[in-house]
Amino acid sequence: YKNTVVDDFITEIALASQQDLTKWSKLWLNEATPDVLKTTFECENGNLKSVRAELTNARNTSVRPHLLQFAMLALNDNKLTVLNAQTAVVNKLEQFIPVDNQSKCPEATIPNYGDYAYVKMALDAKTLKSIQDNFSKIENIHLRMMLSDSLWEMVRDQKLKLDDYKTFVLKALSNEVDFKILTEISATASGRSRGFDSVFYFDPQDKVFKVVV
């Protein structure tokens, strides 16, 4: 009891798996902050042409390998649904993900569908617009929750303008039916139930937004 350290554990796992875990332990146990994953896509003649994954982090040179799912969304019967989801290994700062070029061009791509990987999601411009315009049409409640969290993270990371997020909040609050998601989005606006930064914290002078929310 209390006579072992982390290195002892890593040594035993390495012996059992017969793999050198030196690099793995350095990346996952000694490096702070999650990676940020972004996917961008291109289409041609109505079909998906390519999907590119980009990883960014504070280290810039070392990349953690991620086994994850990414999904493509499409509008069907006025609902934003998963057109296709596939598993991918992302282990480079930039790489193309193999896709079926006969697939229909999606409305959006979700870099970490299912939240399996330890990453932050950064949404590309096409996906961001689609999500902002069609948030209430996303059938999957868990996905709506993930995306609302990611949008707020993008504001905090200065990847999304605060005014654009305000527009999203006002539209989402008027259409959302899930109480938990409503509570989370409201909290990012006012900070009442979280006790940390919020839209009001970043822009306390916007009295019109404050009254509406």
Side-chain angles (χ1 to χ4, degrees):
Y1 179 66
K2 293 185 178 182
N3 62 349
T4 60
V5 295
V6 172
D7 286 345
D8 298 325
F9 174 73
I10 296 299
T11 298
E12 292 302 317
I13 296 297
L15 288 172
S17 63
Q18 297 184 344
Q19 296 186 48
D20 184 358
L21 298 180
T22 304
K23 183 178 179 180
W24 179 90
S25 61
K26 180 179 184 300
L27 286 173
W28 286 99
L29 302 182
N30 299 332
E31 301 281 357
T33 72
D35 294 335
V36 179
L37 175 65
K38 178 180 179 180
T39 53
T40 56
F41 64 97
E42 297 292 335
C43 295
E44 189 175 76
N45 299 324
N47 290 332
L48 181 66
K49 182 181 179 181
S50 63
V51 175
R52 187 177 70 170
E54 302 173 33
L55 277 175
T56 56
N57 51 52
R59 301 177 298 279
N60 292 323
T61 54
S62 55
V63 175
R64 291 172 176 146
H66 298 279
L67 177 65
L68 51 84
Q69 276 196 325
F70 84 94
M72 293 170 280
L73 307 184
L75 275 172
N76 292 307
D77 298 325
N78 206 35
K79 295 291 184 181
L80 197 57
T81 59
V82 176
L83 179 67
N84 183 33
Q86 69 180 67
T87 302
V89 175
V90 179
N91 55 12
K92 299 177 182 177
L93 290 175
E94 292 186 19
Q95 69 182 77
F96 284 97
I97 297 175
V99 294
D100 180 3
N101 296 118
Q102 300 303 312
S103 297
K104 176 184 174 183
C105 184
E107 286 285 328
T109 56
I110 307 302
N112 186 25
Y113 181 66
D115 200 21
Y116 294 118
Y118 179 59
V119 293
K120 286 185 177 183
M121 288 196 302
L123 305 178
D124 67 280
K126 296 176 188 176
T127 296
L128 183 60
K129 184 179 187 309
S130 181
I131 297 304
Q132 289 174 310
D133 291 345
N134 302 292
F135 184 77
S136 64
K137 298 176 183 177
I138 301 172
E139 288 189 307
N140 188 310
I141 293 177
H142 176 65
L143 180 56
R144 287 209 308 278
M145 177 69 78
M146 274 188 64
L147 289 169
S148 67
D149 287 344
S150 292
L151 289 175
W152 180 239
E153 283 184 339
M154 289 177 68
V155 173
R156 298 178 68 195
D157 293 340
Q158 301 180 5
K159 303 295 184 182
L160 177 63
K161 293 180 180 178
L162 187 61
D163 284 345
D164 290 342
Y165 185 75
K166 291 178 186 178
T167 302
F168 161 75
V169 167
L170 294 176
K171 189 172 182 179
L173 291 181
S174 65
N175 295 304
E176 183 55 56
V177 295
D178 184 83
F179 179 76
K180 187 173 182 180
I181 296 177
L182 280 170
T183 301
E184 290 294 310
I185 294 176
S186 298
T188 65
S190 64
R192 285 191 296 268
S193 62
R194 290 192 175 195
F196 57 75
D197 51 8
S198 62
V199 172
F200 294 164
Y201 173 83
F202 290 126
D203 190 5
Q205 303 304 317
D206 192 338
K207 296 180 180 179
V208 174
F209 181 81
K210 190 170 185 178
V211 169
V212 172
V213 173

